[in-house]
Amino acid sequence: MTAAGFEKHSVSLPAEMSERVRSRVGTRGFSAYVAQAVARQLERDALDDVLARMESEHGPVDEHEVLAIMRRLAG
């Protein structure tokens, strides 16, 4: 039986990756760790969607402007 609001899924991961996760969180924290990773990826996907929409509306980002801004932020 799963907790309210949760679904149970079966996923396959490379053994080395699973071992690295278990070494960080143990067996009881594995699902939460995977859920956080999926949430982070969904946030990145949403940001990619926003950036693609902005690029389609305003054209590509000028890399020279980005470098200039990065230099100002670093300096």
Side-chain angles (χ1 to χ4, degrees):
M1 188 156 135
T2 60
F6 287 84
E7 293 181 351
K8 187 172 180 112
H9 294 275
S10 175
V11 297
S12 298
L13 298 172
E16 181 182 338
M17 188 181 295
S18 294
E19 291 166 11
R20 290 175 63 193
V21 171
R22 261 192 232 86
S23 73
R24 286 188 163 277
V25 299
T27 55
R28 302 214 35 115
F30 197 93
S31 291
Y33 190 91
V34 172
Q36 289 172 347
V38 170
R40 190 169 29 254
Q41 185 61 47
L42 289 170
E43 289 173 351
R44 289 179 177 180
D45 292 346
L47 180 56
D48 286 344
D49 293 345
V50 168
L51 293 173
R53 189 170 56 249
M54 289 177 66
E55 188 170 285
S56 72
E57 292 175 11
H58 304 286
V61 174
D62 183 329
E63 292 300 321
H64 295 291
E65 286 185 40
V66 171
L67 287 173
I69 291 168
M70 295 301 287
R71 284 190 202 110
R72 277 187 287 175
L73 291 172

